[in-house]
Amino acid sequence: MIPCDLALIAELTHRCPLHCVYCSNPQELAARTNELPTDAWSRVFREAAELGVMQLDLTGGEPLARPDLSALVQSARDAGLYVSLITSGLPLDEKRLDELLAAGLDHLQLSFQGAREQSANEICGTKAHAQKLRVLDWLKSRRVGVTLNFVLHRGNLDQLDEMLSIAESSSASRVEFAHVQYYGWALRNRGNLLPTREQLMHSLDFFKNAQDRLLGKLRIEYVVPDYYAKFPKACMGGWARKAMLLTPSGEALPCHAAAVIPRLRFENVMEKSLREIWESSDAFQKFRGEDWMQEPCKSCDRRTQDFGGCRCQAFLLAGDASATDPVCSLSPLRSKVDAVLAEVAAIPAANAVVEPSWLYRPNPA
Amino acid sequence: MTPDPSSRPHLAPGCRLGENQGNRVLLMPERALRLSGPSLEIVNRCDGKHTIAEIVADLQKLYSKAEPKKVEQDILGYLQLLHDQRALDFAS
Ligand code: SF4
Ligand code: SF4
């Protein structure tokens, strides 16, 4: 049976006032003119609830770039969904925040590029950090679930203490520390982002101590960079098992990065119902279950836990989307990943940036 | 740590009850717990009005065949768990 404790990730727009060097949006950004209108999203939210979706993440780009965001929150709540807003906090003011809460927003996840203004702003190519601190202040006097999300990389791993203090002095009940994952823009900036092994080990100790100390006060979750792991992550909880992502123009993908895989055909919610797409679209069926697997995954005991790792990473690093994820120590191509790590280990200063220039994510037309 | 019996648990901000395909669920950031039987009876009473002692007494009545001490321990353990996941606040 296809499990139905599903999450829907709705990329409402690819427009964004920030330009993060590790943005998870695709290289080819959807133009504003192709974005789904309000009523199409509202219909999709109702279809999602009928399909068994409970959690809806409104994300982007920056969802606040859509003037109809409050109406979308309202229609998702009316459909019975739990509504999270994943936002950079720009452009937001107290009036708009109150409108979103009145519309029924359940949870707001505010993303941070670091704890220090200058380095955070360098990563997103915008003066954004001070505004995020203002948003945290506004949230203190309002009732809504709050998560802070810190994206970690070589250049900010020395700021963990400061990041945690920002979280502790806020009204957040949850904080996510997420090491950058290397797809799209992040892959192109990987040389400057990948942490050293020492940095990574230190961060793991830090998270464990923080979890113990703050148990019952702050839920702390972290994602490790899989390049340093022995086994891959169970990407998206397995292909087409737990989540579905919709692009601004309504294409349905099994994950953020799936568009990098050649010859995968994505269906559009303007042409088919969400249920039809979930149950039978080619892109969802392609790597569902185990039939597509090759050795060593095919006969490996861990295949029901990690599902052979990430299909997009397999394509990006092995050139074959059905290969074992090359970050797996059992993959014949693991040496490719080790070679990248060796380059990082050879950089003298831990947080040195190899090239002084970043490749910034642009804005769509 | 055991919660104080006179405190009145209530759902933390960002947590609420919902329904999914006929099941009651506790919805929270990036997570949902399916509730049924005793867990539903407990969470239904986490409304900021019932004290923990009252919740325990209610469930001991409802599940009168079970050992009362065991019912109490299970409830305290469950409340603590939800509290540690930041789904519950204990206000006195
Ligand atoms: S540029 Fe940054 S803030 Fe904008 S969508 Fe990408 S990661 Fe999010
Ligand atoms: S061989 Fe495949 S299933 Fe086994 S651990 Fe590696 S990725 Fe997972």
Side-chain angles (χ1 to χ4, degrees):
Chain A
M1 213 200 93
I2 300 165
C4 57
D5 53 336
L6 265 176
L8 183 69
I9 302 161
E11 287 180 349
L12 297 177
T13 177
H14 280 160
R15 289 174 284 143
C16 185
L18 279 63
H19 308 284
C20 301
V21 296
Y22 45 62
C23 182
S24 64
N25 285 163
Q27 306 282 297
E28 224 170 286
L29 299 163
R32 174 186 204 142
T33 45
N34 291 336
E35 291 176 11
L36 293 186
T38 319
D39 56 339
W41 279 118
S42 304
R43 169 183 54 82
V44 167
F45 296 155
R46 286 191 299 272
E47 290 183 7
E50 277 162 34
L51 187 58
V53 169
M54 288 190 264
Q55 302 268 356
L56 171 68
D57 286 357
L58 298 177
T59 177
E62 174 49 64
L64 291 165
R66 296 236 358 179
D68 59 351
L69 185 60
S70 296
L72 292 172
V73 169
Q74 176 98 52
S75 70
R77 273 301 299 264
D78 290 346
L81 302 175
Y82 180 93
V83 188
S84 295
L85 175 67
I86 318 289
T87 179
S88 68
L90 271 76
L92 189 62
D93 57 28
E94 288 187 273
K95 182 166 167 280
R96 187 128 191 247
L97 178 59
D98 286 330
E99 279 167 19
L100 290 164
L101 299 187
L105 185 68
D106 286 298
H107 168 224
L108 185 146
Q109 174 171 317
L110 189 62
S111 62
F112 279 82
Q113 284 75 33
R116 294 180 203 152
E117 177 149 21
Q118 203 194 338
S119 73
N121 288 350
E122 187 191 324
I123 289 295
C124 66
T126 319
K127 288 195 174 124
H129 189 73
Q131 162 75 2
K132 291 164 195 280
L133 299 178
R134 273 194 292 278
V135 174
L136 283 187
D137 247 1
W138 301 335
L139 287 169
K140 277 185 190 157
S141 55
R142 290 166 170 86
R143 194 176 163 86
V144 60
V146 177
T147 292
L148 305 194
N149 172 282
F150 291 94
V151 181
L152 305 178
H153 53 83
R154 191 192 311 151
N156 67 12
L157 272 165
D158 59 335
Q159 304 173 18
L160 292 174
D161 276 316
E162 293 148 78
M163 293 176 192
L164 191 59
S165 345
I166 292 179
E168 279 187 80
S169 59
S170 76
S171 58
S173 61
R174 184 167 168 272
V175 55
E176 280 181 6
F177 290 102
H179 279 274
V180 170
Q181 305 276 342
Y182 297 99
Y183 306 96
W185 301 101
L187 187 60
R188 298 177 68 174
N189 287 300
R190 186 176 64 185
N192 287 333
L193 291 170
L194 201 65
T196 63
R197 187 174 297 274
E198 291 69 40
Q199 281 183 310
L200 170 70
M201 298 319 278
H202 171 262
S203 75
L204 297 183
D205 283 345
F206 179 88
F207 301 142
K208 289 193 188 109
N209 287 335
Q211 277 178 333
D212 287 348
R213 181 169 68 80
L214 295 168
L215 181 70
K217 295 201 179 89
L218 194 57
R219 212 167 103 200
I220 297 174
E221 290 173 19
Y222 58 91
V223 178
V224 297
D226 54 4
Y227 278 43
Y228 283 103
K230 205 163 159 217
F231 299 114
K233 59 183 180 296
C235 195
M236 300 303 285
W239 186 270
R241 284 183 83 251
K242 301 254 172 214
M244 187 171 194
L245 177 136
L246 298 178
T247 69
S249 57
E251 282 189 337
L253 275 58
C255 78
H256 290 92
V260 302
I261 300 178
R263 294 182 302 281
L264 267 193
R265 223 167 39 79
F266 303 113
E267 313 232 39
N268 195 296
V269 293
M270 296 307 276
E271 279 140 31
K272 288 211 169 143
S273 76
L274 213 57
R275 180 178 294 278
E276 274 176 281
I277 296 175
W278 174 250
E279 289 179 349
S280 56
S281 125
D282 286 351
F284 284 77
Q285 292 295 53
K286 177 93 183 164
F287 302 110
R288 208 175 234 152
E290 298 180 0
D291 290 347
W292 56 272
M293 283 185 182
Q294 305 173 0
E295 293 296 349
C297 293
K298 207 178 182 71
S299 55
C300 177
D301 285 346
R302 290 183 56 91
R303 70 184 186 282
T304 52
Q305 289 166 50
D306 66 26
F307 313 99
C310 172
R311 295 307 87 223
C312 306
Q313 190 148 272
F315 173 73
L316 290 169
L317 302 182
D320 176 0
S322 334
T324 294
D325 186 337
V327 303
C328 179
S329 51
L330 302 172
S331 159
L333 296 174
R334 170 70 211 194
S335 57
K336 285 201 178 190
V337 176
D338 289 331
V340 176
L341 297 185
E343 274 171 40
V344 174
I347 300 169
N351 52 3
V353 164
V354 197
E355 302 160 37
S357 65
W358 294 100
L359 181 75
Y360 286 103
R361 176 216 121 116
N363 236 333
Chain B
M1 199 188 97
T2 18
D4 175 356
S6 68
S7 66
R8 299 172 199 274
H10 55 93
L11 294 182
C15 301
R16 66 178 167 89
L17 283 163
E19 213 171 284
N20 182 265
Q21 303 188 320
N23 293 302
R24 298 289 281 163
V25 282
L26 176 54
L27 296 162
M28 57 182 112
E30 306 302 321
R31 216 174 270 195
L33 292 180
R34 220 153 258 175
L35 301 173
S36 62
S39 62
L40 180 59
E41 297 294 344
I42 295 170
V43 174
N44 268 335
R45 288 168 175 76
C46 292
D47 53 5
K49 293 181 194 126
H50 292 75
T51 63
I52 293 185
E54 286 164 352
I55 298 175
V56 169
D58 275 5
L59 267 87
Q60 284 170 336
K61 243 180 265 160
L62 215 57
Y63 297 94
S64 55
K65 289 207 187 91
E67 169 66 38
K69 191 75 208 157
K70 173 91 170 57
V71 172
E72 180 181 12
Q73 279 168 358
D74 286 353
I75 295 171
L76 294 181
Y78 189 64
L79 291 175
Q80 189 63 46
L81 187 90
L82 291 181
H83 177 263
D84 290 347
Q85 299 210 358
R86 301 308 304 115
L88 275 190
D89 286 327
F90 295 150
S92 38

